């Protein structure tokens, strides 16, 4: 087997998650790691058991590297994705695809022009029961969609001493909670329902108007053990919490709430989709169960099991029912589809995985949500 050689750029929280998932694919080899300096790249590569390390420009010159994973802070996504495409590499980029629509539109056009495989890491689509809801809706089992209720709640920025580059607009953009986790929610909403969001009404809240930035390095999800003199006060302009009313192209309505200051909620995405026949409910904290609500008979619980889900969902499941699969498996299942396309050497006509075009779509929705919050009014998409 000729393995596809991959370079991964960035070693924060999500870079190693990509690496772990890629290592579970038999036709892929994580060959190289990239960081801002050669010294840091070597240190991180050694720690992750990767044989080759480079700075970004050096990585692009490696002819045997066929695909690049962009796992850097948001402000680098556009320039690095563009450079990788121009170097003839297939690109898998973290969301958001770019910092604004102009950049995203350019990347979509460039990817189409090159014909190279392009994907955005909206991996939460790849929870098997998320695809099961989509499949059941397509088969008419949900009926006409009446409403959507969604939330994505975290607590990793609960304290004023919690700090991360995502709090800095020059690195992350003008939106934080919506752009970071709300984008996953809006993507999976449209993916499952098949609806398009046509208007939004948003209301943001910044709980900590000032945060204390550590003057020493602190890992994102580690405990904070610093003294008062180890912090600097930083004003915060992005949202900790947001509520958004939604209008869809079928005339139905929805609402989402996102928060990064909900104590005890480590990473909880919840979906409730009500239709004329049934209601589907699913939560990422118990991802192997789907609740199906009925009016005239007992409600049901569907367990994630390849023998119980629809045939078109089975490819996203590796283990039998009762052998739970979770967050790391979503990336593996997504990359399995992406690398099937890379094996063919070009972007499919109808990709099953989220593409740069999907990245553009979510950036558009996020910008309209930002616009709505500023205007405190409904904004059409």
């Amino acid at each position: 087997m000729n393995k596809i050689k991959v370079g991964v750029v960035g070693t924060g929280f999500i870079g190693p998650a990509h690496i772990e998932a890629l290592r579970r694919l038999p036709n892929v080899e994580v060959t190289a790691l990239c960081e801002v300096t050669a010294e840091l790249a070597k240190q991180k590569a050694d720690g992750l058991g990767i044989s080759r390390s480079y700075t970004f420009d050096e990585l692009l010159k490696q002819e045997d590297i066929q695909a690049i994973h962009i796992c850097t802070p948001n402000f680098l996504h556009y320039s690095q994705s563009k450079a990788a495409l121009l170097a003839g590499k297939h690109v898998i980029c973290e969301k958001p695809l770019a910092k604004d629509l102009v950049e995203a539109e350019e990347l979509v056009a460039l990817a189409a022009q090159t014909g190279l495989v392009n994907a955005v890491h909206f991996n939460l689509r790849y929870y098997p029961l998320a695809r099961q809801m989509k499949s059941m809706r397509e088969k008419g089992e949900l009926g006409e969609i009446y409403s959507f209720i969604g939330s994505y709640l975290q607590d990793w920025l609960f304290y004023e001493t919690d700090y991360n580059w995502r709090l800095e607009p020059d690195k992350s953009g003008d939106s934080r909670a919506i752009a970071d986790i709300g984008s996953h929610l809006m993507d999976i909403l449209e993916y499952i329902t098949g609806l398009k969001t046509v208007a939004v009404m948003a209301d943001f809240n910044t709980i900590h108007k000032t945060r204390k930035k550590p003057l020493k390095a602190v890992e994102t999800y580690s405990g904070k053990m610093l003294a008062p003199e180890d912090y600097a006060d930083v004003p915060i302009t992005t949202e900790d919490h947001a509520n958004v009313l939604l209008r869809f192209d079928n005339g139905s309505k929805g609402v989402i709430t996102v928060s990064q200051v909900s104590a005890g909620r480590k990473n909880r995405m919840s979906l409730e989709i009500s239709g004329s026949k049934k209601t589907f409910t699913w939560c990422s904290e118990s991802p192997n169960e789907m609740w199906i609500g009925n009016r005239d008979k007992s409600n049901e619980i569907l367990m994630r099991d390849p023998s119980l889900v629809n045939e078109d969902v089975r490819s996203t499941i590796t283990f039998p029912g009762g052998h739970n699969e979770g967050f790391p498996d979503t990336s593996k299942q997504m990359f399995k589809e992406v690398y099937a396309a890379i094996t063919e050497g070009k972007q499919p006509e109808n990709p099953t995985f989220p593409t740069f075009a999907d990245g553009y779509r979510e950036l558009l929705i996020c910008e309209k949500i930002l616009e709505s919050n500023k205007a405190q009014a409904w904004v059409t998409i």
Side-chain angles (χ1 to χ4, degrees), residues 243-350:
N243 298 306
V244 187
L245 296 174
L246 310 167
R247 292 175 180 166
F248 302 118
D249 56 355
N250 74 336
S252 65
K253 309 292 174 67
V255 60
I256 63 167
T257 294
V258 300
S259 173
Q260 294 176 321
V261 290
S262 294
R265 295 302 189 189
K266 303 306 178 186
N267 192 55
R268 184 183 193 272
M269 181 169 70
S270 177
L271 316 173
E272 182 150 326
I273 309 166
S274 294
S276 57
K277 296 181 180 179
K278 297 177 184 295
T279 293
F280 296 161
T281 298
W282 176 87
C283 174
S284 65
E285 288 186 344
S286 51
N288 294 277
E289 296 181 3
M290 170 186 167
W291 184 86
I292 303 172
N294 300 294
R295 168 65 190 263
D296 297 318
K297 64 176 184 177
S298 298
N299 298 327
E300 307 160 70
I301 298 290
L302 173 64
M303 303 296 291
R304 179 210 52 79
D305 188 310
S307 68
L308 300 177
V309 300
N310 292 350
E311 185 176 354
D312 58 338
V313 178
R314 291 172 192 159
S315 65
T316 64
I317 300 176
T318 300
F319 298 104
H323 300 77
N324 289 340
E325 294 174 85
F327 178 82
D329 300 280
T330 62
S331 294
K332 183 193 80 169
Q333 299 296 350
M334 176 180 161
F335 296 159
K336 187 168 68 177
E337 294 184 356
V338 171
Y339 279 86
I342 290 175
T343 299
E344 297 298 319
K346 61 180 181 180
Q347 186 82 342
E349 284 189 22
N350 297 297

Side-chain angles (χ1 to χ4, degrees), residues 6 17 28 58 85 87 103 164 176 180 195 226 247 275 342 356 363:
V6 179
V28 174
E58 291 171 339
L85 287 172
E103 290 183 349
N164 178 273
R176 182 186 5 116
D180 185 18
L195 300 176
L226 301 180
R247 292 175 180 166
I342 290 175
F356 279 15
L363 202 59

Side-chain angles (χ1 to χ4, degrees), residues 127-145:
Y127 279 109
L129 294 181
R131 188 167 285 192
Q132 175 69 9
M133 287 189 282
K134 173 182 170 66
S135 177
M136 291 176 69
R137 187 268 304 167
E138 290 174 339
K139 294 179 186 300
E141 296 179 54
L142 179 62
E144 178 190 351
I145 295 175

Side-chain angles (χ1 to χ4, degrees), residues 125-167:
R125 293 185 183 190
Y126 284 81
Y127 279 109
L129 294 181
R131 188 167 285 192
Q132 175 69 9
M133 287 189 282
K134 173 182 170 66
S135 177
M136 291 176 69
R137 187 268 304 167
E138 290 174 339
K139 294 179 186 300
E141 296 179 54
L142 179 62
E144 178 190 351
I145 295 175
Y146 287 167
S147 69
F148 180 95
I149 302 170
S151 65
Y152 203 142
L153 310 177
Q154 299 176 328
D155 71 356
W156 68 284
L157 291 171
F158 181 73
Y159 295 115
E160 66 172 359
T161 52
D162 292 327
Y163 202 86
N164 178 273
W165 61 264
R166 292 187 183 278
L167 292 153

